[in-house]
Amino acid sequence: MTVSLEQLHRCHFGVDLGAARTRVYVKGAGLVVDEPSVAAVNTRTGGLIAVGALAEQMTGRTPDYIRVVRPVSGGTVVDIDMAQRMLSHLLDDKLRRTLRRKPRLRAAACVPHDADPLAQRAATETLIGLGARRVELVDTLIAAAVGCGLPVEQPEATMILVCGAATTQVAVLSMGAIVTAERIPVGGDAIDNAIVQHLRHQHELMLPSQSVRPLQLALSGNGLTTQGPESTEIHGRDVATGLARSVHVQTSAVREAIHTPLTAVLDGLGKVLRHCPPDLVADLADRGIMMVGGSALLPGLDQMLRTATGMPVHIAERPDTCAVRGLGEMIEGKISPMRLDPLAG
């Protein structure tokens, strides 16, 4: 683990700052915040107008003096001040006062695998701004594995695929540590962008900023396979005239459009397997891959991975909250480390 379980057990709250959503777990209270990582700012006064879901609804609908910002990119805080203000407003007044009254307030935060020192410092500074006296950093891969119930502390191989908005992380874990891992700069946003560009170039149609997810859901449960629906109707704005228009999009063309970002994920998966010891690969052939993260719900992605690797692929229950739930379990002391007693000589 990135830090010891004993240190995490002393923490009072944990934060998962993701590119898409921010989640906060408070010891004894559970998951108290699950909101988009978005803030709306008045550029004339510098004041916050909205955060979370309300700010996300404002995207593309604001006058010039209101700017919608995302202080987190790729799981890394890029605007510490704005991230602090967003977090402070996402926590209600009563909860903020309760946390600040804690003597020597401790916090834990999820950070992406192989996050550089600058990214780690940004996460630490963000939580210090909320009053934390000490911040423990936990690898997102470890937290997500704990949150979906994988036996990470046992001497057996488990493979996890964290499908985030900006990045995809894949790792093999054993005995509470990462054996080999890869961080791929491709996530749900890249898939969204591929679909947007396809509609713009092939159909001269522009989508509203929040319409791509419904398009993915329209692909149904077998969206990435040939058994899915042949076409779906999409509403948007004509590039030339600016008027509203609807087109029928062939799902085979959509599958082709998102082939490039999905191929990058498969390449990263193959690289991890090539660097994994043979004994652990044999374990994985039986146990398979566990998918977590919001983009794990992309219709048919599990089937595509199953076909490409020949391994069983499972989607975790509530895959989008696995990381913060795993962080919460470690804070609550629900995870018992494996004891390694030295041999008596």
Side-chain angles (χ1 to χ4, degrees):
M1 299 260 179
T2 313
V3 292
S4 73
L5 291 172
E6 184 181 351
Q7 288 174 314
L8 286 172
H9 188 41
R10 295 174 184 170
C11 293
H12 300 96
F13 71 101
V15 178
D16 177 19
L17 277 168
R21 299 185 75 85
T22 293
R23 299 177 175 93
V24 180
Y25 186 101
V26 175
K27 193 173 187 175
L31 185 62
V32 296
V33 173
D34 185 359
E35 293 278 349
S37 304
V38 187
V41 187
N42 186 324
T43 56
R44 295 174 182 171
T45 64
L48 272 185
I49 296 174
V51 295
L54 181 58
E56 188 174 54
Q57 290 174 10
M58 295 181 179
T59 305
R61 298 181 172 90
T62 60
D64 292 340
Y65 67 91
I66 297 178
R67 187 164 57 99
V68 178
V69 297
R70 290 183 176 271
V72 184
S73 176
T76 301
V77 177
V78 293
D79 187 336
I80 295 174
D81 178 62
M82 189 56 64
Q84 289 174 347
R85 295 170 68 187
M86 179 187 73
L87 267 173
S88 181
H89 282 78
L90 287 174
L91 295 168
D92 61 51
D93 293 337
K94 182 180 178 182
L95 189 54
R96 280 204 308 271
R97 288 195 298 269
T98 301
L99 288 175
R100 287 187 179 275
R101 283 198 295 266
K102 301 279 188 185
R104 296 194 59 81
L105 181 65
R106 289 174 176 245
C110 290
V111 293
H113 178 67
D114 282 346
D116 57 50
L118 194 61
Q120 294 180 23
R121 182 176 177 181
T124 302
E125 292 289 336
T126 299
L127 297 191
I128 287 175
L130 289 179
R133 300 288 297 276
R134 177 165 176 162
V135 178
E136 310 291 355
L137 301 180
V138 180
D139 196 306
T140 300
L141 291 166
I142 296 287
V146 171
C148 63
L150 292 179
V152 292
E153 291 289 344
Q154 301 304 313
E156 55 188 52
T158 54
M159 190 172 202
I160 188 165
L161 187 73
V162 181
C163 308
T167 60
T168 298
Q169 302 174 72
V170 57
V172 175
L173 302 97
S174 181
M175 295 181 66
I178 296 172
V179 177
T180 180
E182 189 74 20
R183 187 177 173 193
I184 308 150
V186 171
D189 290 347
I191 295 171
D192 291 348
N193 186 60
I195 296 173
V196 168
Q197 293 304 316
H198 168 75
L199 293 174
R200 185 182 181 93
H201 294 146
Q202 300 299 321
H203 300 277
E204 296 186 346
L205 192 75
M206 290 180 64
L207 284 182
S209 58
Q210 298 174 32
S211 295
V212 180
R213 291 297 175 184
L215 172 62
Q216 292 181 359
L217 295 176
L219 297 179
S220 87
N222 296 315
L224 298 181
T225 67
T226 54
Q227 287 76 36
E230 291 187 4
S231 66
T232 184
E233 186 178 15
I234 304 299
H235 306 280
R237 190 181 73 181
D238 190 280
V239 171
T241 66
L243 300 176
R245 184 162 65 90
S246 299
V247 297
H248 282 276
V249 179
Q250 298 297 315
T251 51
S252 59
V254 174
R255 288 195 296 271
E256 184 65 31
I258 63 179
H259 178 74
T260 300
L262 291 179
T263 299
V265 173
L266 290 175
D267 290 344
L269 194 63
K271 187 175 181 180
V272 167
L273 289 172
R274 286 194 299 273
H275 287 86
C276 189
D279 289 345
L280 295 184
V281 173
D283 287 348
L284 295 175
D286 296 328
R287 296 190 181 90
I289 305 167
M290 179 65 75
M291 293 176 61
V292 303
S295 298
L297 298 173
L298 182 66
L301 179 57
D302 56 332
Q303 181 58 47
M304 189 195 75
L305 293 175
R306 212 173 280 123
T307 303
T309 63
M311 296 164 60
V313 178
H314 316 282
I315 300 177
E317 184 179 355
R318 294 202 62 193
D320 52 335
T321 61
C322 281
V324 73
R325 283 190 285 120
L327 194 60
E329 287 184 29
M330 288 186 277
I331 290 173
E332 299 280 7
K334 296 180 179 178
I335 306 300
S336 300
M338 186 177 66
R339 300 291 181 184
L340 294 177
D341 297 325
L343 295 174

